[in-house]
Amino acid sequence: MQLDCCCLLFVLQDQRVRLYDVERDWELRKDVRARGIRWTITDTCLSPDQRFLLYSSISPTVHLLALGASWDVVESLANVTEVHESLDFDPDGHERFGIWSLAWSGDGREIIAGTNNESVYIYDVATSTINAKVTGHRDDVNAVTYLDSTPNLILSGSDDSMIKLWDRRLVSNEPGSRNKAVGTMVGHTEGITHLNSRGDGRYFISNSKDQCIKLWDTRKSLRSERETAALPRESIPQFNWDYRWMAYPARGYDVRHPHDASVMTYRGHQVHQTLIRAYFSPSHTTGQRFIYAGSADCCVYLWDVVTGKMLHRLRHHRSLVRDVGWHPYEPMIGSVSWDGTAMVWGPPNFTGPKSKPV
């Protein structure tokens, strides 16, 4: 889900993506019927200029379509009413290859993807080829993002509970080259579901299946690969469970990583069943003072970045809230839920939502 100055974008479980114009009384601008979907749409991403949309699935192919003007065709049926261009992220043709997360570089030239083969792929938009593949995780890469507006620093979060920082300038696609991460952030005890950068090249947050969000400062939290490998793993509390259908085994207990290098931890929400997202509030209206996230308990949560105190728990949805979005210039939060509705939360204190059935 993305909420910018004019549009709300969210994904449905019926393999559709919908784009609403929030400045035209929530007029439906684009109803995308996705193609080549295996089980579900795993992620969507808008280009920096807001002209193109990407969507991915548990397959090697990402699809791209032009959003066009507000008066263009609303129903986007793949290769019938509009072209959904196929971007091949796996030239080796692995049948079970799938993509969990996408991010577009600030200059619009590259797209990165986190995959189920423990890797991050870097795709060149101009040449329609894979520029590089970086490996180093030991499980699915569920989340990727850029640390700032440049295409140089890439973050990846995995089910191995690790977050890695990569320098694009040091990544090579030459045969036999071994691309190494700049460093690793250690502190979560379970898999990472989402990453969001503050955009200043220093701070970012991570959401995790260990039921917490963590704030990181790369100047203080980054360990080298050698230092990370030397940390004793025997004392790390981990559980053999499947978050897709099981409750977190340590719910109600204060489980901490003995080598946690994060700056702050935020608790209270629930992460189950799907890769729930968390974000910084916008800089223009809030100075990025808050963190907000969806939750499996049907609520939207807000925390104070500095104190870690939970400020609001917004209740109205009847099912899991996977994604949320804060308007960059207005006091407005959008949330989408598995109950089939999108909500708009406004002042005072983000109460009094408007239901937008989809």
Side-chain angles (χ1 to χ4, degrees), residues 118-122 130-137 154 156 164-184 225:
E118 307 174 4
S119 304
V120 177
Y121 284 73
I122 303 174
I130 296 295
N131 259 353
K133 170 186 174 183
V134 294
T135 59
H137 287 290
I154 298 171
S156 61
K164 291 184 180 290
L165 177 65
W166 310 86
D167 191 329
R168 177 67 183 87
R169 294 160 294 189
L170 302 178
V171 172
S172 172
N173 198 32
E174 293 297 323
S177 59
R178 298 185 63 185
N179 296 312
K180 294 184 178 181
V182 175
T184 304
E225 297 280 46

Side-chain angles (χ1 to χ4, degrees), residues 57-257:
S57 185
I58 310 175
S59 74
T61 304
V62 173
H63 290 96
L64 177 148
L65 69 146
L67 294 179
S70 59
W71 55 83
D72 284 351
V73 61
V74 172
E75 185 176 17
S76 181
L77 184 60
N79 297 345
V80 177
T81 61
E82 290 185 321
V83 174
H84 292 201
E85 182 182 352
S86 299
L87 311 182
D88 187 8
F89 272 69
D90 182 32
D92 297 327
H94 297 117
E95 184 178 350
R96 301 190 66 182
F97 180 91
I99 294 171
W100 293 120
S101 54
L102 293 169
W104 213 312
S105 64
D107 60 7
R109 296 180 179 180
E110 292 184 338
I111 300 165
I112 54 174
T115 70
N116 63 359
N117 71 342
E118 307 174 4
S119 304
V120 177
Y121 284 73
I122 303 174
Y123 186 91
D124 186 279
V125 176
T127 63
S128 300
T129 57
I130 296 295
N131 259 353
K133 170 186 174 183
V134 294
T135 59
H137 287 290
R138 294 178 287 105
D139 211 328
D140 291 3
V141 179
N142 297 325
V144 291
T145 192
Y146 287 91
L147 190 59
D148 55 27
S149 60
T150 73
N152 296 329
L153 298 176
I154 298 171
L155 290 165
S156 61
S158 169
D159 267 334
D160 64 10
S161 78
M162 299 292 183
I163 302 166
K164 291 184 180 290
L165 177 65
W166 310 86
D167 191 329
R168 177 67 183 87
R169 294 160 294 189
L170 302 178
V171 172
S172 172
N173 198 32
E174 293 297 323
S177 59
R178 298 185 63 185
N179 296 312
K180 294 184 178 181
V182 175
T184 304
M185 271 68 69
V186 176
H188 283 293
T189 60
E190 303 288 346
I192 312 300
T193 67
H194 191 240
L195 298 170
N196 182 239
S197 171
R198 194 176 180 182
D200 57 5
R202 297 176 179 178
Y203 294 99
F204 70 93
I205 57 172
S206 56
N207 200 18
S208 172
K209 299 173 185 178
D210 62 12
Q211 313 301 301
C212 73
I213 298 168
K214 288 186 178 292
L215 173 68
W216 306 86
D217 181 345
T218 55
R219 298 168 300 176
K220 301 178 180 179
S221 305
L222 197 64
R223 286 187 171 100
S224 70
E225 297 280 46
R226 178 176 296 181
E227 290 173 328
T228 302
L231 295 174
R233 298 190 58 84
E234 292 77 11
S235 57
I236 300 175
Q238 289 184 309
F239 303 93
N240 185 19
W241 67 298
D242 191 328
Y243 92 122
R244 292 173 296 177
W245 58 274
M246 297 175 64
Y248 182 51
R251 183 177 179 181
Y253 293 90
D254 186 6
V255 178
R256 300 188 182 188
H257 196 296

